[in-house]
Amino acid sequence: MQKRNVRLSRLESNLKDLVKVQNKHPKGLKLSKSHSTPRLSSSKLFNSFHSVPHSLRGLPTPPFLVPAVLDALSTSKYAAITAIVPGEADTFCAKAAKDHGGMILTSDSDMLVYDIGSDGAVVFFNGLEIQEELDSTAITPVLKASIYTTAQIAKRLRLPGLQQLAYQYKNDPYVSFAEARRKVHQPMQDESLWRSFLEEYTTQDVVSTPLPQSLSNQQQGFLDPRLSELILQLSIPTRQDETNMYLPFLVDDPSRASAWYVSSAIRRSLYDMLATHIPTVHTSTPLQAIMEFSRRGLRIVASTIPLSTTPDPAAQRVDTVRNINALSFRLHLVKSRFRKASPMFQYRIFALGETYRWYIDNFKAPPSRSSIARTMTGGEGSLDQWEDIHLEAQVQAVLYALRMVQQSLRYIDVGRTESEELGELEKLLEDLPPLSGLIPSSMELRGYAEKEKIDIAEVVCCVTEP
């Protein structure tokens, strides 16, 4: 329940930020069209770029930032020491620092509240900077940072720990430091509230839910956090009452239907596939649905995604195979028609086709041809209209659904399933690029379009034809 509250709180906060941005810029977002590299405004490594367009400030965190970082780590020299953990990573970092010492590099000030032991310390991203030092022979760049050793800070303040101080500020954000410090040494007025506060920062239960080895197998590649959480819920023998999926928050037009709707069919096929091929999911009561949390209008709500669950496992597999075959067929058509295009453009065309088809199937006015063309080429001019922003989010919803399907196929090990249909789909998705190539920026997209000389008229025709 605690993790659910955290997830919902973040989604709701992102929605509020998005609505504020749209209210401030109702006609669209002004974008920089410069191809130059942003200049560093100081020696700080983070938060140091000054060329971010004003209209983009205040937008929610990029939805696929964490998976993109995992992509980079999985192909770096740090792959062998990178781990995926269930729940929140904060508690695992705090536990490691407490048991083994070391520094936690973060942007979350909450890490100062955890008990990280006498040898644990916290370093903030915005405190990292490069300084030049002159020795007898040359100028040498040196990485410097402010290090916060919480045990030493508490000792100097003559406090039993920083948790007690943080608790006072949670109860009264406007209390003075002197008053908060004085209250720390007084008896707790409500022991139950204090214990509840401590539970948010405990490291005692970080190994209570072991992660299946296959979820963190570097040879298979890391699974994205949201997919890992879903598979973990499906894999544990004592499944909770609900199986939840918290979809990443997309930057779309909040006055329209959520961009995630256009990939609902693909995600349902994904859930059916996992429910069919993860053995421990079958209990006395078969899984009936997945609860998806995403935006609906101006609220974050749970939507029930029914699964193709029948008493007969064979019949269930037939239904799953039918949906998988339909997805493979649509992918194959696009890849065959645009075989000379790069995989990035092939999947983008497919995503636009899926989006257009969703509008037609739901009797809604589809995107304009000009918007489709701009979404293929990275736009034009200096204003990104909300129509284009929403269509781009819908494209991302389809592309990310394909990524989850690809990772799930790898997880269930298609070779062992002896399923020709899953094998065909896995083969079709072999060239799915990593996120950095799958969802390029507008600037990158314009460069790719100029280089490949994509026939936009043919693309629009393909996307809009019945």
Side-chain angles (χ1 to χ4, degrees), residues 252-292:
D252 57 7
D253 183 346
S255 67
R256 305 185 184 203
S258 170
W260 281 113
Y261 282 127
V262 301
S263 62
S264 295
I266 298 176
R267 297 197 309 278
R268 179 180 174 182
S269 296
L270 162 70
Y271 301 149
D272 280 336
M273 181 176 67
L274 290 174
T276 301
H277 292 283
I278 296 180
T280 54
V281 77
H282 299 293
T283 62
S284 57
T285 304
L287 185 65
Q288 301 293 323
I290 301 290
M291 300 296 293
E292 282 190 341

Side-chain angles (χ1 to χ4, degrees), residues 175-450:
V175 68
S176 68
F177 175 76
E179 179 65 12
R181 186 180 176 188
R182 185 184 68 81
K183 288 184 175 180
V184 165
H185 296 286
Q186 295 179 345
M188 290 292 177
Q189 295 183 354
D190 192 327
E191 286 290 340
S192 62
L193 286 178
W194 166 240
R195 287 193 297 269
S196 177
F197 174 81
L198 284 180
E199 286 177 2
E200 298 180 33
Y201 301 99
T202 183
T203 60
Q204 295 179 354
D205 301 325
V206 295
V207 294
S208 61
T209 305
L211 190 68
Q213 182 65 27
S214 52
L215 282 180
S216 56
N217 186 342
Q218 286 93 349
Q219 293 181 346
Q220 291 182 328
F222 297 112
L223 297 182
D224 289 350
R226 292 294 178 266
L227 182 59
S228 295
E229 288 180 0
L230 176 63
I231 291 177
L232 186 61
Q233 292 176 77
L234 296 173
S235 301
I236 55 179
T238 56
R239 193 178 64 243
Q240 55 192 343
D241 294 337
E242 292 181 356
T243 301
N244 300 324
M245 177 64 170
Y246 300 90
L247 295 173
F249 188 87
L250 295 173
V251 178
D252 57 7
D253 183 346
S255 67
R256 305 185 184 203
S258 170
W260 281 113
Y261 282 127
V262 301
S263 62
S264 295
I266 298 176
R267 297 197 309 278
R268 179 180 174 182
S269 296
L270 162 70
Y271 301 149
D272 280 336
M273 181 176 67
L274 290 174
T276 301
H277 292 283
I278 296 180
T280 54
V281 77
H282 299 293
T283 62
S284 57
T285 304
L287 185 65
Q288 301 293 323
I290 301 290
M291 300 296 293
E292 282 190 341
F293 289 83
S294 63
R295 180 181 69 81
R296 183 186 296 170
L298 298 180
R299 298 183 303 143
I300 300 298
V301 300
S303 300
T304 302
I305 308 298
L307 302 183
S308 301
T309 304
T310 67
D312 182 4
Q316 181 177 342
R317 280 183 166 80
V318 168
D319 200 16
T320 301
V321 165
R322 185 187 303 112
N323 294 330
I324 292 296
N325 281 339
L327 175 59
S328 297
F329 178 74
R330 298 195 302 274
L331 263 174
H332 179 73
L333 284 180
V334 172
K335 284 173 168 280
S336 298
R337 185 165 178 172
F338 296 93
R339 60 173 57 91
K340 293 184 178 180
S342 66
M344 185 273 292
F345 274 115
Q346 289 179 345
Y347 287 109
R348 197 167 188 82
I349 295 168
F350 172 81
L352 282 166
E354 292 291 291
T355 299
Y356 195 90
R357 187 166 66 93
W358 177 84
Y359 278 98
I360 300 302
D361 290 346
N362 289 276
F363 307 102
K364 296 177 179 289
S368 65
R369 288 173 173 260
S370 59
S371 183
I372 293 172
R374 289 192 296 270
T375 303
M376 273 299 300
T377 59
E380 55 191 24
S382 60
L383 184 70
D384 201 354
Q385 303 172 37
W386 284 103
E387 177 188 12
D388 296 348
I389 293 171
H390 196 74
L391 182 56
E392 172 62 29
Q394 291 172 313
V395 166
Q396 293 179 12
V398 175
L399 294 176
Y400 193 69
L402 290 179
R403 176 181 168 93
M404 289 194 292
V405 169
Q406 183 200 46
Q407 291 190 347
S408 297
L409 289 169
R410 188 172 62 218
Y411 173 79
I412 64 178
D413 192 353
V414 171
R416 290 189 301 152
T417 67
E418 298 181 355
S419 169
E420 294 182 5
E421 295 78 16
L422 294 183
E424 175 63 23
L425 181 57
E426 184 178 43
K427 186 175 181 180
L428 280 168
L429 292 173
E430 278 180 346
D431 59 354
L432 189 73
L435 277 172
S436 58
L438 184 63
I439 305 178
S441 68
S442 296
M443 185 185 302
E444 292 170 326
L445 195 56
R446 286 193 294 275
Y448 295 148
E450 292 172 4

Side-chain angles (χ1 to χ4, degrees), residues 140-154:
T140 305
V142 177
L143 178 64
K144 292 194 173 184
S146 298
I147 300 175
Y148 299 87
T149 306
T150 57
Q152 292 183 13
I153 294 173

